[in-house]
Amino acid sequence: MISHISSNNCLIQVWHGDLHQSAICAAPSFCSAIEFPAAVAGANTTCSKAVSLRKKWKSPRAALATDLHLPMRSLEVKNRTSVDDIVKLRLITAIKTPYLPDGRFDLEAYDSLMHMQISNGAEAVIVGGTTGEGHLMSWDEHIMLIAHTVNCFGGTIKVIGNTGSNSTREAIRATEQGFAVGMHAALHINPYYGKTSMQGLLSHFESVLSMGPAIIYNVPSRTGQDIPPDVINALARRENMAGIKECMGNDRIAQYTNKGVVVWSGNDDECHDAKWECGATGVISVTSNLVPGLMHQLMFEGKNEALKKKLLPLMKWLFCEPNPIALNTALSQLGVIRPVFRLPYVPLPLTRRLEFVNIVRDIGREHFVGEKVVQVLDDEDFILIGRY
């Protein structure tokens, strides 16, 4: 093979392989600026009246990727548990994500919260859900926290990663990664804001159900769109459909359980009746972040109207503003997390913080997580972070 580069009186020839290589030039100033192509690299051509070079030239080899990790395909089997293990769970805590003053995850405080959940009877946690502020995380943070939870606690408690998204593409990728790092099940929201048709809902959920056990999450107050029973009943026939977290009330829950669909209540203030009167399997709870032992009693020890009544003021207080504002404030007052908020969340005002102190007193400090005396905290004690 011969390569030619010419301009005016300049001619450079390179004979590839073991053949003669030469360069003949009548315009050295021009050739000094020539950059030889990679194909003739190693020829070591020098521009002069007559140059003869003899050098072996080897064809470049294609780049090799020694550790090539292609994206996993949806049909691969990578979950570590079965749907049967998920449908039995009664108390699932939507775990809070605590922060350091610079906005990064406070994993030491997070691990402490996890230990308190396990020791008080929680059977599973939702990682990076609404309560855990998954919507304020990058996907890298999200998957890292799921992986951390699995590695540290996955042998003791079920880890359900909130890998849902209003983008089907993102939901697929995040769910693949979540199962790759070992989560036991996924939580999937319906596409919010942009919304879609009923057929679109089915197609969206079917795209992720092939990967492993999944819980569908219906919360129209946040998504702006109800997932109707026809969609859930169709999905219930799918192999990896574990059940639904339903926030539309106990009438809807009873409608599902009468047809054999597994349901977790998404409303703490209704979960007692949902469990003992409407056939719900259990609850995915915010309140159990604060009083996991009492929530365990509520789900495992039969009907208890007295305990339900005792907890209702706390449950109502927790949702006086959009979740997780009150929970973040409460955990800060209990001294189990730093009073750090990722914006747009801000702490409850002083009057509400005083109400929480009274609620703790009425229920009993010994039932709440942590060991410090509950404090009111000053407004200046809270750190608000917009860039992290």
Side-chain angles (χ1 to χ4, degrees), residues 110-121:
Y110 179 83
D111 291 353
S112 178
L113 293 176
M114 286 295 303
H115 282 297
M116 287 184 274
Q117 291 299 314
I118 292 169
S119 63
N120 283 281

PDB file of all heavy atoms in Angstrom, residues 110-121:
ATOM      1  N   TYR A 110     -27.777   8.059  59.229  1.00  0.00           N
ATOM      2  CA  TYR A 110     -28.660   7.147  58.485  1.00  0.00           C
ATOM      3  C   TYR A 110     -28.573   5.732  59.033  1.00  0.00           C
ATOM      4  O   TYR A 110     -29.594   5.066  59.267  1.00  0.00           O
ATOM      5  CB  TYR A 110     -28.264   7.174  57.009  1.00  0.00           C
ATOM      6  CG  TYR A 110     -29.089   6.262  56.115  1.00  0.00           C
ATOM      7  CD1 TYR A 110     -30.324   6.673  55.628  1.00  0.00           C
ATOM      8  CD2 TYR A 110     -28.620   4.995  55.747  1.00  0.00           C
ATOM      9  CE1 TYR A 110     -31.076   5.844  54.800  1.00  0.00           C
ATOM     10  CE2 TYR A 110     -29.370   4.169  54.927  1.00  0.00           C
ATOM     11  CZ  TYR A 110     -30.591   4.604  54.454  1.00  0.00           C
ATOM     12  OH  TYR A 110     -31.346   3.771  53.642  1.00  0.00           O
ATOM     13  N   ASP A 111     -27.358   5.259  59.271  1.00  0.00           N
ATOM     14  CA  ASP A 111     -27.190   3.911  59.815  1.00  0.00           C
ATOM     15  C   ASP A 111     -27.815   3.789  61.192  1.00  0.00           C
ATOM     16  O   ASP A 111     -28.391   2.746  61.539  1.00  0.00           O
ATOM     17  CB  ASP A 111     -25.702   3.555  59.885  1.00  0.00           C
ATOM     18  CG  ASP A 111     -25.081   3.372  58.508  1.00  0.00           C
ATOM     19  OD1 ASP A 111     -25.832   3.385  57.512  1.00  0.00           O
ATOM     20  OD2 ASP A 111     -23.851   3.238  58.424  1.00  0.00           O
ATOM     21  N   SER A 112     -27.725   4.843  61.979  1.00  0.00           N
ATOM     22  CA  SER A 112     -28.351   4.834  63.299  1.00  0.00           C
ATOM     23  C   SER A 112     -29.874   4.722  63.175  1.00  0.00           C
ATOM     24  O   SER A 112     -30.520   3.956  63.904  1.00  0.00           O
ATOM     25  CB  SER A 112     -27.977   6.101  64.069  1.00  0.00           C
ATOM     26  OG  SER A 112     -28.607   6.129  65.337  1.00  0.00           O
ATOM     27  N   LEU A 113     -30.448   5.464  62.233  1.00  0.00           N
ATOM     28  CA  LEU A 113     -31.889   5.361  61.998  1.00  0.00           C
ATOM     29  C   LEU A 113     -32.266   3.947  61.565  1.00  0.00           C
ATOM     30  O   LEU A 113     -33.288   3.407  62.004  1.00  0.00           O
ATOM     31  CB  LEU A 113     -32.321   6.363  60.928  1.00  0.00           C
ATOM     32  CG  LEU A 113     -32.231   7.859  61.270  1.00  0.00           C
ATOM     33  CD1 LEU A 113     -32.609   8.694  60.048  1.00  0.00           C
ATOM     34  CD2 LEU A 113     -33.131   8.201  62.449  1.00  0.00           C
ATOM     35  N   MET A 114     -31.448   3.355  60.713  1.00  0.00           N
ATOM     36  CA  MET A 114     -31.718   1.989  60.254  1.00  0.00           C
ATOM     37  C   MET A 114     -31.675   1.003  61.411  1.00  0.00           C
ATOM     38  O   MET A 114     -32.545   0.119  61.527  1.00  0.00           O
ATOM     39  CB  MET A 114     -30.712   1.592  59.176  1.00  0.00           C
ATOM     40  CG  MET A 114     -30.935   2.248  57.820  1.00  0.00           C
ATOM     41  SD  MET A 114     -32.488   1.744  57.028  1.00  0.00           S
ATOM     42  CE  MET A 114     -32.280  -0.041  56.962  1.00  0.00           C
ATOM     43  N   HIS A 115     -30.696   1.122  62.275  1.00  0.00           N
ATOM     44  CA  HIS A 115     -30.604   0.228  63.436  1.00  0.00           C
ATOM     45  C   HIS A 115     -31.852   0.347  64.313  1.00  0.00           C
ATOM     46  O   HIS A 115     -32.370  -0.666  64.813  1.00  0.00           O
ATOM     47  CB  HIS A 115     -29.353   0.543  64.252  1.00  0.00           C
ATOM     48  CG  HIS A 115     -28.091  -0.001  63.657  1.00  0.00           C
ATOM     49  ND1 HIS A 115     -27.874  -1.361  63.491  1.00  0.00           N
ATOM     50  CD2 HIS A 115     -26.977   0.626  63.189  1.00  0.00           C
ATOM     51  CE1 HIS A 115     -26.679  -1.555  62.947  1.00  0.00           C
ATOM     52  NE2 HIS A 115     -26.119  -0.371  62.751  1.00  0.00           N
ATOM     53  N   MET A 116     -32.344   1.570  64.491  1.00  0.00           N
ATOM     54  CA  MET A 116     -33.540   1.774  65.313  1.00  0.00           C
ATOM     55  C   MET A 116     -34.772   1.159  64.668  1.00  0.00           C
ATOM     56  O   MET A 116     -35.662   0.644  65.356  1.00  0.00           O
ATOM     57  CB  MET A 116     -33.741   3.262  65.589  1.00  0.00           C
ATOM     58  CG  MET A 116     -32.731   3.826  66.591  1.00  0.00           C
ATOM     59  SD  MET A 116     -33.012   5.555  67.029  1.00  0.00           S
ATOM     60  CE  MET A 116     -32.123   6.384  65.701  1.00  0.00           C
ATOM     61  N   GLN A 117     -34.842   1.194  63.346  1.00  0.00           N
ATOM     62  CA  GLN A 117     -35.955   0.548  62.648  1.00  0.00           C
ATOM     63  C   GLN A 117     -35.909  -0.966  62.829  1.00  0.00           C
ATOM     64  O   GLN A 117     -36.918  -1.600  63.136  1.00  0.00           O
ATOM     65  CB  GLN A 117     -35.924   0.906  61.161  1.00  0.00           C
ATOM     66  CG  GLN A 117     -36.253   2.355  60.857  1.00  0.00           C
ATOM     67  CD  GLN A 117     -37.639   2.740  61.301  1.00  0.00           C
ATOM     68  OE1 GLN A 117     -38.610   2.012  61.063  1.00  0.00           O
ATOM     69  NE2 GLN A 117     -37.748   3.882  61.960  1.00  0.00           N
ATOM     70  N   ILE A 118     -34.735  -1.534  62.650  1.00  0.00           N
ATOM     71  CA  ILE A 118     -34.594  -2.987  62.753  1.00  0.00           C
ATOM     72  C   ILE A 118     -34.887  -3.466  64.166  1.00  0.00           C
ATOM     73  O   ILE A 118     -35.622  -4.448  64.371  1.00  0.00           O
ATOM     74  CB  ILE A 118     -33.178  -3.406  62.312  1.00  0.00           C
ATOM     75  CG1 ILE A 118     -33.010  -3.148  60.803  1.00  0.00           C
ATOM     76  CG2 ILE A 118     -32.914  -4.871  62.642  1.00  0.00           C
ATOM     77  CD1 ILE A 118     -31.584  -3.281  60.310  1.00  0.00           C
ATOM     78  N   SER A 119     -34.351  -2.773  65.153  1.00  0.00           N
ATOM     79  CA  SER A 119     -34.530  -3.209  66.540  1.00  0.00           C
ATOM     80  C   SER A 119     -35.963  -3.044  67.028  1.00  0.00           C
ATOM     81  O   SER A 119     -36.366  -3.674  68.014  1.00  0.00           O
ATOM     82  CB  SER A 119     -33.580  -2.433  67.465  1.00  0.00           C
ATOM     83  OG  SER A 119     -33.880  -1.044  67.439  1.00  0.00           O
ATOM     84  N   ASN A 120     -36.752  -2.240  66.345  1.00  0.00           N
ATOM     85  CA  ASN A 120     -38.137  -2.021  66.752  1.00  0.00           C
ATOM     86  C   ASN A 120     -39.152  -2.718  65.850  1.00  0.00           C
ATOM     87  O   ASN A 120     -40.348  -2.450  65.940  1.00  0.00           O
ATOM     88  CB  ASN A 120     -38.444  -0.529  66.811  1.00  0.00           C
ATOM     89  CG  ASN A 120     -37.873   0.135  68.053  1.00  0.00           C
ATOM     90  OD1 ASN A 120     -38.435   0.039  69.148  1.00  0.00           O
ATOM     91  ND2 ASN A 120     -36.736   0.806  67.893  1.00  0.00           N
ATOM     92  N   GLY A 121     -38.679  -3.594  64.976  1.00  0.00           N
ATOM     93  CA  GLY A 121     -39.598  -4.482  64.280  1.00  0.00           C
ATOM     94  C   GLY A 121     -39.991  -4.113  62.867  1.00  0.00           C
ATOM     95  O   GLY A 121     -40.836  -4.798  62.270  1.00  0.00           O
TER      96      GLY A 121
END
